Every structure is written in C-alpha cells, then in structure tokens.
Amino acid sequence: MKNSKTLAILKDNLWTNNPIFIQILGICSTLAVTNNLRNTVVMTLGVSFATALGSMTLSAMKDLIPRKVRMIIQVLVLSFFVILIDILLRAYLPEVSKQLGPYVGLIITNCILMGRAEAFAQANKPLLSFWDGLTSGLGYMAVLLAIAVVRELLGFGTLFGLRIMPEGFVTWTIMIMAPSAFFLAAMVMWWAKNKQAARAAKAKAPTQGGKA
Amino acid sequence: MFQKQIMMRRVLYALIPIAALSVWLYGPRVLFILATSLVAATLTEFLFERAKGGKTSEAVLVSGTLLALSMPPAAPLWVVALASAFGVFMAKEVYGGFGRNIFNPAIAGRLFVYISFAALMGQSFYQPGSFGQAAGSLFGQPDAISGATPLAIMRDGGSVPILDLLLGTRSGAIGESSIVLLAAIALYLVATKTAQWRLIVSTLGSGAALCIILWMAGVPGALPPQSLLAGSFVFVAVLMSTDPVSAPKKKGAQWAYGSLIGASVIVIRSFSLFSEGTSFAVLLGNSFASMFDRMASQSAQKRKAKTEAAAKEAGK
C-alpha cells in the first residue's frame, strides 16, 4: 500500500502532473538558465533540494502553523533553504554562482516550491512530502536538461563545455537567447500532452467498445 | 495534392517576374534557393497535414517563394531550408495550418535565421548584374565590401543613385530590389482584388511620412527620404503586409495595421542597431492585427447602437 503510493507520486511528478509541461510552473527559470548544461544541473539540483527539504519541514510543522499566516511561514522556511543553497554555491562553485546571478535567490519565487508546500505538504506526512518535493524537482530537472542539451549543443556547439560539433559548425545565436526556450518548452509541452492524450484515448477505447 | 486557392495562385504569378529578374541579377544560384525553400516549406506542411488529415494549401508555395526572395543571394542552402521549415512549422502549422496563423510564416522563418546567423547572413550579399557575373562568377561571390546594401551605405552617410534604387540594380535580398517591378505587381494584385490597397497605402504612407518628418527635423540617425526605396520596405508593404491571413479584415483596422508597420520600420531603421527593421515591424503588426479588428468591430457596433437609438428617438 505504502509502496504503491510512493510510486504513484513518482509517476505523477515525472509525467502525468509534471511541474513544467502540465502545471506550467517554474517557467522563468526554464527561460533563464537553460542555455548552458552546467548551470541547468546546478539550478535544478538546487530547486530539488529546496523543494524536498522545504516540503518536509513544512509538513513536520504543519500543525503548529496558524492557517491565516501559513503562506508567510512557508516562504520563511523555503527561503531558509534557498539561502543555504546560495551560500553553498558561493563557497564551492563561485563561478557558477556568478553566472546564475540572481536566479539562485529567485528559486524562492519558483512556483514549484510554494505549489508543493500548499498542495502536498499541507496534508501529508513529512517523509512522503520529502519524496514528493524531490520527485517534483526531478520532473523539473528532466525537462530542463532536455531543453538545455538542445540549446547548448546548437547555441555553443558544446555539452558541459566540451566541444561536440565539428569545427565548421555555425552556432545558432538564437539558442543562447531566451526566446528559443519558449519554442523548445512549448514543443516539449506539445509532445507530452499529445502523448498523454493518445494514451488516454487508448485506455478509453476498449471500455467503449465493450459497451457497444 | 494541393488545395486549390485562386488568390494564392495570383500571388505566385505576380512573383514570377521578380524571380526572373533576380536570376539575371544574382545568377542561377537564386533558382537553387527558390527550389530549396519551396521543397522544405511544402514538405513540412505536407507531413503535418497528412498527420492531421488535412490538405496541403497552395499558400505554402507563396510562403516558400516569399521566403526565398527575402534571403540574401549567397545564403547557404541549409539556412534557407531551415528558415523555410521553421517558418511553416512554428508560425503556421502549430497554430492549426492555413487560415489560422497569427504570424506571417515567411517573415517568421526569415527572422529566425537572421537572428541565429546574423554574421553569416550579413556577409551573404553581393553585387548584382548579368546573371551574377558582376560579382565574379556565375554563382556569385559574397563580398562584404562591394556587397554593402544601400541602407548600410546611407547609414554611413553615403548615397546611392536613385535610378539603381528604382531599377533594383543594387545589392540586397534576392527579390526586394526592383521598385518598378514591385509597383507593377502592386497594381496587378490590387486590380485583381488579391491584395488590399488600404494595407499597401497605409504602410507606405505612414513610413514615408515619418521618414520625411524625421529627416526634416534633422533628428540624428534619420535617413534621407531615398532610403524608402532601399531595403525591403516596398517589398514588405506590397507582399508581406497584405498577407490576407495575418492582416486584419476591418477597414479601420487595416489603416491602423499598415500605419503601425510603416512607422515601426522607420523607427527601427533609424534608431536601432539593425539597419533594416521591416521583418520586426511586420511581426509587430501581426501581433496587433486581431486587436485592431476587435476594436474596429466594437466601435462599429457602438455607432450602430447610437444611430438606432437616434432613429428610435426620431420615431417617437
């Protein structure tokens, strides 16, 4: 019973209710950081970390929070973890920290964090909330990494800074700029929704056939 | 295989003289660009429509041709194919195909590659004349210096003979140069009611007015009035702003739409980093088109309600 629920959460956050292509949350960072794989990895790890620990903490203290001020408390707790990430990055990855600039601090405004705190951690046990936050972060990470691979490969001809494309390759300047993430994120959404719609239609068809 | 569309055919007929002239200007290379663009555009639309069960429209041939004509003559063929496929895919098919697109596919494709490969495109112009031989070989040779477009020259304070501008014997994108031919095409399209004259007049009029005002006022960066004949301003006014799908349908909205495009062209040309702003201007106009239409129909309704109320009053 318990196991099936964790699996259901995993599937939900990675696919059927993915934060990017179904809930359309966290789009600002999708546009801002995905032109470079290294930054994307750091950013998405940060979001996963903050969402997971934030959800767990909030879930553990949910009975202590007065309902009327819960949003304020949620922001407070989440920002604690975001600041932690910011300090860690500055200490150990100063270069990435400089490139990401304000976006690390802006993780707090990433709707995925507040979304999971409100939608899940409010009504569930701490461990399960941790799992939910983590898998939400992974769902976010999967989409962003896919976009970042395309953008860095075409925009710089590299992956993780390593040259992949041949010497004569003409880089696509537009892939470095934010608009390309709009196209790519939209294409991912389109692909995923089509896929899910096709699956839903398939699942429905046999029962309908049975009725007829 | 194609859905028959008389209007689109007329545009295609009208584009034949331009294509012919550009072969003389830039050599047989133009035909390869044209073919690449048409194949890429048609293939993209065909694949999509097949999946949806729709028909390939003849409009895609117009988009493909217009896109090819707006490329610089030495543009690499893969860039042309990419522009064409991107334009039809992202600006047309994702919106649901012919008749539903907000943006002009040819312009979207052109802008995509112009932004992506700015340096490459900037070096792809060459001197026109005698089937490309003026540039050194039958297939033309890109030359950044002699290939400087008239707009770039005027920006640097130089001048270009007006006769060259009118006849189109100056470097630039493949099909944009001959003002005389474009004027003839405009007459043909308006006479056959394929293009809406209001769109052409408002685009040209507002652009000319703003250009002359800025020039007279001596604003720094303002270009001389001859610049209206340079670049792709006339080409865009005649062939791009009149696209029946992405332009508004109501009278007042059409005036507003054309004026917005014309004015934006001049503003971008004079004050931005880009020497040419026609593509941006058209996309800007496209995004306001349905709003203009809505405003026009709302004000028409208001007027109607008013006259009805007045009639009722009179009836009493």
Side-chain angles (χ1 to χ4, degrees):
Chain A
M1 185 63 212
K2 189 82 191 274
N3 238 341
S4 70
K5 194 160 188 198
T6 41
L7 268 183
I9 291 174
L10 178 70
K11 195 189 161 204
D12 216 36
N13 283 333
L14 284 185
W15 180 245
T16 36
N17 202 14
N18 183 292
I20 298 285
F21 56 69
I22 302 298
Q23 301 178 42
I24 328 268
L25 296 178
I27 295 300
C28 307
S29 50
T30 310
L31 302 180
V33 302
T34 52
N35 59 5
N36 175 317
L37 259 173
R38 193 184 52 168
N39 292 354
T40 312
V41 169
V42 172
M43 179 75 181
T44 51
L45 279 177
V47 170
S48 306
F49 168 84
T51 320
L53 290 180
S55 278
M56 185 172 80
T57 317
L58 285 165
S59 166
M61 59 191 280
K62 64 176 182 282
D63 297 331
L64 301 174
I65 308 173
R67 275 202 67 77
K68 278 189 179 158
V69 293
R70 70 178 194 287
M71 291 260 189
I72 302 170
I73 310 274
Q74 282 167 355
V75 173
L76 214 67
V77 170
L78 292 171
S79 56
F80 166 73
F81 290 106
V82 173
I83 291 169
L84 218 58
I85 297 170
D86 197 22
I87 294 172
L88 280 174
L89 280 184
R90 260 187 240 175
Y92 295 103
L93 292 168
E95 206 189 320
V96 176
S97 166
K98 212 178 250 170
Q99 277 187 23
L100 285 176
Y103 291 106
V104 178
L106 283 175
I107 290 178
I108 187 62
T109 63
N110 191 319
C111 312
I112 299 172
L113 275 76
M114 284 291 278
R116 290 337 285 173
E118 271 286 292
F120 197 93
Q122 281 262 334
N124 285 284
K125 293 254 160 62
L127 264 183
L128 215 53
S129 300
F130 175 83
W131 178 244
D132 174 74
L134 187 68
T135 48
S136 282
L138 292 181
Y140 168 77
M141 180 189 279
V143 178
L144 259 68
L145 282 183
I147 294 176
V149 165
V150 177
R151 285 185 70 185
E152 185 173 345
L153 196 62
L154 293 176
F156 296 101
T158 60
L159 285 180
F160 286 110
L162 293 171
R163 184 132 207 108
I164 301 284
M165 289 301 197
E167 219 31 62
F169 177 72
V170 188
T171 54
W172 302 27
T173 314
I174 201 168
M175 285 295 168
I176 305 173
M177 307 194 291
S180 69
F182 271 113
F183 302 146
L184 293 170
M187 282 181 191
V188 172
M189 283 170 203
W190 184 21
W191 169 80
K193 289 205 165 153
N194 252 345
K195 203 98 188 162
Q196 294 185 356
R199 198 166 292 177
K202 220 185 222 172
K204 226 177 180 180
T207 51
Q208 274 180 347
K211 262 181 206 164
Chain B
M1 171 180 146
F2 288 106
Q3 186 185 342
K4 206 174 153 189
Q5 290 170 311
I6 306 258
M7 268 171 80
M8 293 302 162
R9 278 199 193 170
R10 286 206 197 104
V11 180
L12 279 179
Y13 297 149
L15 291 174
I16 291 173
I18 295 199
L21 174 78
S22 54
V23 171
W24 182 77
L25 289 174
Y26 300 111
R29 201 170 191 290
V30 169
L31 293 177
F32 291 117
I33 292 185
L34 207 57
T36 310
S37 173
L38 283 175
V39 169
T42 315
L43 203 66
T44 313
E45 176 147 334
F46 173 70
L47 289 177
F48 263 87
E49 293 299 331
R50 195 183 57 174
K52 269 192 338 199
K55 263 189 170 168
T56 312
S57 62
E58 279 176 3
V60 78
L61 299 178
V62 173
S63 301
T65 314
L66 285 177
L67 181 100
L69 292 180
S70 69
M71 286 283 130
L77 293 183
W78 64 270
V79 168
V80 178
L82 181 72
S84 181
F86 177 88
V88 173
F89 170 59
M90 261 340 246
K92 185 171 178 193
E93 288 307 319
V94 296
Y95 290 102
F98 176 75
R100 301 212 178 87
N101 48 313
I102 302 173
F103 298 105
N104 186 325
I107 291 280
R110 175 181 191 269
L111 216 47
F112 181 71
V113 295
Y114 261 83
I115 292 177
S116 282
F117 314 112
L120 186 69
M121 300 306 261
Q123 290 158 7
S124 293
F125 294 104
Y126 55 81
Q127 274 305 331
S130 24
F131 298 103
Q133 276 177 337
S137 86
L138 260 191
F139 289 88
Q141 246 158 14
D143 184 343
I145 301 160
S146 76
T149 57
L151 268 184
I153 296 173
M154 285 179 198
R155 268 199 155 199
D156 295 339
S159 70
V160 180
I162 288 239
L163 194 65
D164 279 352
L165 289 177
L166 283 175
L167 292 178
T169 47
R170 46 90 170 172
S171 75
I174 293 170
E176 73 180 21
S177 59
S178 175
I179 305 301
V180 178
L181 258 189
L182 284 170
I185 287 170
L187 285 181
Y188 168 74
L189 290 180
V190 168
T192 55
K193 299 204 167 149
T194 312
Q196 180 49 251
W197 64 269
R198 273 182 223 106
L199 293 168
I200 304 180
V201 169
S202 57
T203 308
L204 288 177
S206 75
L210 187 60
C211 181
I212 289 166
I213 290 171
L214 288 179
W215 176 248
M216 292 291 189
V219 176
L223 295 163
Q226 299 94 287
S227 70
L228 292 168
L229 302 176
S232 55
F233 182 52
V234 180
F235 179 78
V236 160
V238 174
L239 291 163
M240 298 291 195
S241 75
T242 54
D243 169 31
V245 177
S246 57
K249 278 88 200 162
K250 302 270 188 308
K251 249 188 219 173
Q254 288 180 333
W255 286 112
Y257 175 80
S259 312
L260 176 67
I261 294 181
S264 322
V265 169
I266 303 302
V267 168
I268 296 171
R269 272 184 181 184
S270 317
F271 304 115
S272 83
L273 284 173
F274 295 90
S275 59
E276 179 61 298
T278 48
S279 305
F280 296 108
V282 173
L283 284 195
L284 201 68
N286 285 166
S287 41
F288 282 100
S290 54
M291 193 186 88
F292 285 150
D293 255 348
R294 199 188 148 95
M295 279 159 65
S297 68
Q298 273 172 351
S299 75
Q301 261 171 13
K302 231 180 242 167
R303 230 174 298 138
K304 204 177 155 198
K306 220 180 226 172
T307 47
E308 258 167 27
K312 235 182 209 170
E313 201 89 335
K316 265 183 200 167

